[in-house]
Amino acid sequence: MTHRDPIIDGLVVIDQFTDQIDAELALARLRSAGVEATTAFDPRYRLMGRSVLGAGATRGTDLMTDLVVKVEDVMAAREVLSAPLPLGFETAELEAWSADGANRRRRRQAGIRRIVIGIIAILLALVVSVFLAGALRHVLSG
């Protein structure tokens, strides 16, 4: 094991990331390959590193997200992470995925529009009823 592999309660840090997204992508690769893994970090350092040196700057106290696996999974994890990334979706799969996402967004937006229109209709009905009640009181009292 290297100096980057401290053992803590049967867990090993196999990599560190300054970017949370990169850490989550590596975590997803491990989990999809059947390797149990998790990430760990101390959020107290995020403020210190970002506010003093600006976004993207790094130093010893910046937030480092650790990628952690069980001791017995270290070799499998290293294999998965060292393997080249797959080429990705086939064009037809990518187009279907994109169209499906667009359809979900349209349905969600239509649902939100219906809710907003419903709220406006209820408010309008309340305003009209208050106006009519006031007008009726005025006619009956006069």
Side-chain angles (χ1 to χ4, degrees):
M1 287 190 203
T2 68
H3 69 282
R4 293 183 64 169
D5 296 332
I7 299 175
I8 305 167
D9 296 330
L11 300 175
V12 177
V13 176
I14 59 165
D15 208 346
Q16 291 183 318
F17 300 87
T18 55
D19 186 343
Q20 182 70 28
I21 293 172
D22 289 339
E24 292 297 326
L25 289 171
L27 176 64
R29 285 183 73 191
L30 290 176
R31 288 182 175 170
S32 70
V35 177
E36 289 186 53
T38 191
T39 56
F41 66 93
D42 188 343
R44 291 177 295 176
Y45 296 116
R46 176 172 293 231
L47 262 174
M48 190 184 321
R50 300 297 187 242
S51 63
V52 174
L53 297 177
T58 59
R59 62 182 184 163
T61 57
D62 275 348
L63 172 70
M64 295 296 290
T65 301
D66 296 331
L67 186 58
V68 182
V69 298
K70 293 179 183 176
V71 174
E72 59 269 17
D73 292 335
V74 170
M75 295 308 291
R78 288 188 194 277
E79 273 186 49
V80 169
L81 294 176
S82 65
L85 290 171
L87 293 177
F89 294 112
E90 295 294 324
T91 304
E93 291 173 326
L94 182 57
E95 289 171 4
W97 175 78
S98 179
D100 186 49
N103 288 336
R104 280 196 308 269
R105 279 190 300 280
R106 277 194 291 276
R107 284 192 304 268
R108 185 173 42 245
Q109 289 169 348
I112 291 170
R113 275 194 298 271
R114 282 192 290 271
I115 290 170
V116 169
I117 290 171
I119 290 171
I120 291 171
I122 290 170
L123 291 174
L124 184 60
L126 286 171
V127 168
V128 168
S129 65
V130 167
F131 175 76
L132 290 176
L136 185 59
R137 273 192 216 114
H138 180 70
V139 169
L140 293 176
S141 67

